[in-house]
Every structure is written in structure tokens, then in C-alpha cells.
Amino acid sequence: LQSGQLDYGPFIAMTNNTKKAIEKAGNRMIKAASPVQASVAFNQTKKPFDKLEVRQAFAHILERKAITKVGQPVGGMPVETQSGLIKAMYDAWVDEGTKSKMIDYKHDPAKAEELLKKAGLSKGGDGNWKLADGKPFKVTLQSVTGFADWIAGSNVVCSQLTDFGIPCQVKVSPDFAVYQEEMAAGKYAFGWWLVSVGTNPPSAMGRIFGEGYGYTAVGGRAVYKAPTEKDSGNWIGGAQEITLADGTKVKPGELTIKMQQMSPEEQKPVMQQLMQAENASLPVIGIWDYTNTQWVNEKRFTNFPDGSDAGIMRLS
């Protein structure tokens, strides 16, 4: 791309400097929505991430614009609403009643302090936070080799947490296969995960409330495995029943499986509950929506799609 040798180049993660070099070679960038969101996920079997207030505090600590600016400056948009879905999908599915009930996790260090204290943590004289038992609250954010955007973003995440008084270090798995295997085995307390994958609602929400949450479909029925069961794959360890902001109790894992047998019209009210369940319980915090960023060079071919049809843009 940088030497102008390609007629077409698919999405790759890159820095702004690389983008400028590619454009200088006569290439033109085309953008479209991409059905995938980068998030940081919690293993709720690991203390203190079992406490909702701690997960909510992290959502108020992490300044997603700054993380995106470093991690995915060319092909990413900072997440605005914690729903488990990319913005295009959220906008298409959410109704006004649901929208009004969604918690706004804007950058708010004061709110984060309040939540951590409510969870039983305390701030030491050195400015660092301590767990309820008096031990230092330190975290490791797990990333993976080959995901340059996750690694770059991890450094900003850890910088923000450390500045807040929660010392954070980045660890990198050797490859994605090892990462997935160790994540499924519950070895990580805090790591990156891709959610809202695909345009099919059960698949998109299944990235949160599916296998990683302990739920699989057997004969069309939802079967649950606890994190303590051998080879359960349940690394999120979230509550089977979640209370929404309006007091409604739902079982998101069961609902996600049931949606597989529903028509889009039947899915819509269920999706309202699942978006609220992610927003209320925060098993993951969305950081950026990926943008399908592609490159064309019109020296030899013209009339490429303009990005207005996201479906066509996925047909290389």
C-alpha cells in the first residue's frame, strides 16, 4: 500500500503516520460500519471483579476516546453507550423506553471513587487503592501477540488505571489460540474480548451471554455450566439472573439462546432486555467500535463502492 502497488487493500490496524504514508502513495480510504467491538472483559470469579461497583468504577475511570486515539486511531470509534452492541446495531434495535433507562458511564473519576468505596475498597496514604482485606488493589490486563491495537490500547488503559491509584501492568499471550484456551480456562481476571460480532442479534449478544457466560444450546434448550465445572468454558462467571435498572429480573444467558429460534420481531423486546442487562451488570466494557476501513487505488480501476452499503464492503 505504501508503495502504491495494490488496486485494493482490506482492513488492517495502523497508526496515523502509516495512514498518511498510504494516502501519499495515491490510495484513497473508504469507511463503513463493521460488526465488531473491542472491549475489556472481567472474570467475575476473581475478586474484586465479583462486585458490580468495581466494574462500574472501571467504566467511569477509562476514558475511551483517549484509548481509541492510541489503540485504533484510523479504524475505530470510541464506544458511547455500554450495550454490548456497536453503535449502528444499537441505534437500529434500541427503543426510546430502553434508551432512557441506560446508565451513562461517562468519564467521571469522582463517581468511580464513590463506587469503589461502596464496594468496600479504601484509598491509602500513597494514593493507591486497597482491597477490603487491606491488600493492594493491582491488576494485570491480558492482551495477545499480533493484536497491535489491543497492545497499544492496553498501555493507555493501564496508564489511566495507574494514575487513578490502581497499579496496572500489561501481559501478552504468545498467540490468539493460546489466549482463547487460557481465557476459557478462567486464567485471566481482566483481558480484551471482541463483542457484537456479526449482524445477527443472537450471535452478537452470544459473545457476552453465550458460551463464555456458561450457556450453550442443546436441542434448542439453554444449558448452563458453572465456572467450577470441568471444561465449562465459563470464564465470565456472571450471575445467571440480573436485575435491570427498573427492577426487572432477567436471565440473559437463557434469553440469548431462546432468541435463536425467534423471528426478528420476536427478538426485538428480548434485545431491549439484553442491552439493559449488559449495561446494568457490565461483564465487559466496550472501548471502540471497529470501522471497516479499506483502501483503493484508482490508477487502473474506478467505481469502487463508496462505503454507504456496509454489506457490500464486507465482500472483498
Side-chain angles (χ1 to χ4, degrees):
L1 281 170
Q2 289 185 60
S3 59
Q5 293 177 316
L6 302 180
D7 300 309
Y8 161 82
F11 171 84
I12 51 168
M14 66 180 67
T15 64
N16 271 315
N17 285 342
T18 304
K19 172 180 173 278
K20 287 174 183 174
I22 291 170
E23 287 174 330
K24 196 174 178 182
N27 301 292
R28 179 167 65 85
M29 184 168 67
I30 302 171
K31 283 190 171 189
S34 179
V36 61
Q37 182 180 99
S39 66
V40 288
F42 302 101
N43 183 335
Q44 294 175 41
T45 68
K46 313 282 189 187
K47 294 182 181 297
F49 296 134
D50 58 326
K51 294 187 180 295
L52 171 61
E53 295 87 354
V54 173
R55 303 193 300 275
Q56 289 180 321
F58 272 49
H60 286 297
I61 294 166
L62 299 179
E63 211 290 281
R64 292 174 281 283
K65 282 185 182 176
I67 300 167
T68 306
K69 190 175 180 181
V70 173
Q72 194 54 262
V74 177
M77 290 191 309
V79 171
E80 296 172 6
T81 305
Q82 297 299 325
S83 68
L85 297 173
I86 62 167
K87 186 178 187 304
M89 236 179 134
Y90 174 72
D91 290 345
W93 282 81
V94 73
D95 63 32
E96 288 305 313
T98 297
K99 197 181 282 188
S100 67
K101 296 171 187 171
M102 301 292 270
I103 301 166
D104 181 8
Y105 292 104
K106 63 184 178 185
H107 180 59
D108 189 341
K111 181 66 175 175
E113 283 209 19
E114 179 189 318
L115 286 161
L116 289 178
K117 287 174 181 173
K118 190 177 175 184
L121 282 73
S122 59
K123 205 169 187 180
D126 59 357
N128 287 341
W129 288 87
K130 298 183 186 303
L131 301 171
D133 60 7
K135 292 179 181 175
F137 182 21
K138 298 179 179 180
V139 295
T140 297
L141 176 57
Q142 196 75 27
S143 189
V144 60
T145 299
F147 285 65
D149 51 350
W150 287 7
I151 294 170
S154 293
N155 293 324
V156 185
V157 170
C158 276
S159 176
Q160 291 179 358
L161 289 170
T162 301
D163 289 347
F164 185 79
I166 302 171
C168 176
Q169 64 172 337
V170 181
K171 280 197 175 176
V172 181
S173 300
D175 59 54
F176 196 62
V178 170
Y179 185 76
Q180 284 188 296
E181 184 182 323
E182 292 188 339
M183 179 168 262
K187 291 190 176 181
Y188 309 141
F190 184 43
W192 288 87
W193 190 239
L194 295 174
V195 302
S196 193
V197 177
T199 54
N200 176 18
S203 300
M205 297 310 291
R207 295 290 296 184
I208 300 172
F209 296 120
E211 194 171 349
Y213 210 83
Y215 283 88
T216 52
V218 178
R221 289 175 51 251
V223 174
Y224 175 74
K225 286 188 177 181
T228 50
E229 293 183 51
K230 191 172 186 282
D231 299 326
S232 70
N234 183 351
W235 56 266
I236 294 177
Q240 287 181 261
E241 187 173 83
I242 290 171
T243 303
L244 306 183
D246 64 1
T248 305
K249 294 183 185 295
V250 298
K251 293 186 175 180
E254 290 186 11
L255 290 175
T256 300
I257 298 297
K258 285 178 182 174
M259 265 206 309
Q260 295 175 5
Q261 312 297 325
M262 293 178 182
S263 69
E265 267 320 296
E266 292 169 323
Q267 288 173 351
K268 189 145 193 180
V270 177
M271 284 296 287
Q272 308 309 306
Q273 293 187 321
L274 290 176
M275 286 186 277
Q276 289 180 74
E278 153 57 17
N279 180 263
S281 66
L282 285 185
V284 307
I285 298 171
I287 303 296
W288 64 70
D289 290 350
Y290 281 96
T291 305
N292 187 355
T293 304
Q294 302 187 24
W295 296 94
V296 295
N297 191 313
E298 296 179 296
K299 284 187 294 190
R300 299 197 303 156
F301 298 96
T302 60
N303 200 27
F304 286 96
D306 62 4
S308 58
D309 187 328
I312 286 177
M313 292 291 285
R314 288 193 288 274
L315 299 174
S316 298

